[in-house]
Amino acid sequence: MSEQIHTPLPYSTETITHVQRWSDQLFSFRITRPAGFDFKAGQYVRLGLPIDGQLVWRAYSITSGTQQDWLEFLVVSVPGGAFTGVLDRTVVGDPIHLDRKRFGFMTPDRFVDGDDLWMIATGTGLGPYVSMLQEPALWNQFARLIVVHGVRHSAEFAYADSLREMAAAPPFRDTRARLALVHAVTRDSAAAPDVLHGRITALLDNGSLEQAAGTQLQLTSARVMLCGNPAMIEDMRALLHARGLRPVRRALPGQFVTENYW
């Protein structure tokens, strides 16, 4: 009789341990983190759920820090979405599958220089930045950290309280960086005094974004991450190119990196 060889599954089965509702359609959740599962802040993984008799996978950025015992994700429930519709109905204690592979190259170590790190996001594109801001190394790599979060409605400003606390006082001792937080909405007719109104690209073009951040986005000092709506990223790329900034390439240092969210 030949000896059977058991090949490990390419995924593990984890458990949902916490769910946080930010708005009617926006939520974050935590799952157990398997032993030995390492990742870089800024990377994403695939999560799997059984749907109509098949195991369906979707990619989500990790929102938790690399030192935490759980994995956290920020999700918007798409009306009529096959995957997010099921995910939105899960509760604490439910199982979910985690692909063992990690993906993505939108990580701070892509930059070899620069004083200011602009972390520009729309919607759930904020997720990887929340992970990065929990890493002490980031707060020493740059002198200024600027988080720009653009949403349709103010209720969609996930993690706003935590980000404001970081802006008021760095979360780690003896670090060189300070955080500036810029919120922008496109559809609310009345927003808080410290919230900008308009698309991120328009706010950069008219100077409002830099004024709110307290620094200029310029070639010599700025390094930029773009994450979220592909239309925003495409328009931002054009604006950055016009200022002389170029994308980071494998063998050529640059000033910005991008991650499309669909």
Side-chain angles (χ1 to χ4, degrees), residues 29-85:
F29 66 97
R30 296 175 183 175
I31 67 173
T32 51
R33 179 176 177 176
F37 188 91
D38 297 324
F39 65 94
K40 289 184 178 181
Q43 289 188 310
Y44 63 92
V45 295
R46 296 195 313 153
L47 299 176
L49 289 171
I51 300 175
D52 295 331
Q54 293 187 338
L55 189 53
V56 179
W57 297 90
R58 293 291 186 272
Y60 291 101
S61 288
I62 302 171
T63 305
S64 47
T66 60
Q67 302 304 313
Q68 291 176 320
D69 294 334
W70 60 84
L71 300 175
E72 187 164 335
F73 305 92
L74 179 63
V75 180
V76 62
S77 182
V78 180
F83 191 89
T84 58

Side-chain angles (χ1 to χ4, degrees), residues 2-254:
S2 61
E3 182 179 351
Q4 290 185 336
I5 299 176
H6 296 281
T7 303
L9 289 173
Y11 60 87
S12 62
T13 301
E14 305 303 325
T15 303
I16 294 175
T17 60
H18 177 79
V19 178
Q20 169 73 53
R21 298 282 171 179
W22 303 101
S23 71
D24 290 344
Q25 293 180 297
L26 185 67
F27 64 99
S28 58
F29 66 97
R30 296 175 183 175
I31 67 173
T32 51
R33 179 176 177 176
F37 188 91
D38 297 324
F39 65 94
K40 289 184 178 181
Q43 289 188 310
Y44 63 92
V45 295
R46 296 195 313 153
L47 299 176
L49 289 171
I51 300 175
D52 295 331
Q54 293 187 338
L55 189 53
V56 179
W57 297 90
R58 293 291 186 272
Y60 291 101
S61 288
I62 302 171
T63 305
S64 47
T66 60
Q67 302 304 313
Q68 291 176 320
D69 294 334
W70 60 84
L71 300 175
E72 187 164 335
F73 305 92
L74 179 63
V75 180
V76 62
S77 182
V78 180
F83 191 89
T84 58
V86 174
L87 186 59
D88 196 13
R89 294 192 295 271
T90 58
V91 296
V92 170
D94 283 351
I96 190 168
H97 301 303
L98 171 70
D99 191 329
R100 298 185 189 277
K101 294 181 181 179
R102 277 75 80 194
F103 306 90
F105 299 97
M106 195 187 72
T107 54
D109 58 10
R110 298 290 302 281
F111 299 114
V112 298
D113 58 5
D115 291 323
D116 303 346
L117 179 62
W118 290 74
M119 296 176 279
I120 300 175
T122 55
T124 56
L126 177 72
Y129 303 143
V130 175
S131 178
M132 294 176 198
L133 288 167
Q134 298 176 68
E135 303 301 308
L138 181 74
W139 293 78
N140 285 310
Q141 184 177 352
F142 297 94
R144 283 178 292 270
L145 305 171
I146 304 101
V147 171
V148 180
H149 190 199
V151 299
R152 294 171 299 174
H153 305 286
S154 297
E156 298 165 354
F157 286 131
Y159 300 100
D161 289 343
S162 296
L163 292 172
R164 290 191 183 102
E165 289 176 4
M166 292 182 185
F172 306 104
R173 292 184 177 181
D174 302 323
T175 54
R176 62 190 290 247
R178 291 296 181 268
L179 173 66
L181 175 62
V182 182
H183 280 149
V185 295
T186 57
R187 297 190 183 178
D188 281 356
S189 58
D194 60 344
V195 175
L196 302 181
H197 188 274
R199 296 183 181 277
I200 291 173
T201 48
L203 296 171
L204 176 61
D205 205 29
N206 66 25
S208 300
L209 187 63
E210 291 166 305
Q211 182 178 1
T215 187
Q216 299 294 304
L217 198 163
Q218 55 189 0
L219 172 64
T220 55
S221 59
R223 301 298 175 260
V224 184
M225 292 179 164
L226 304 172
C227 189
N229 187 318
M232 179 277 289
I233 291 177
E234 188 63 26
D235 291 344
M236 279 294 301
R237 286 173 64 94
L239 292 173
L240 295 178
H241 276 293
R243 297 183 179 216
L245 283 75
R246 294 293 180 265
V248 173
R249 303 298 187 193
R250 181 171 297 181
L252 184 64

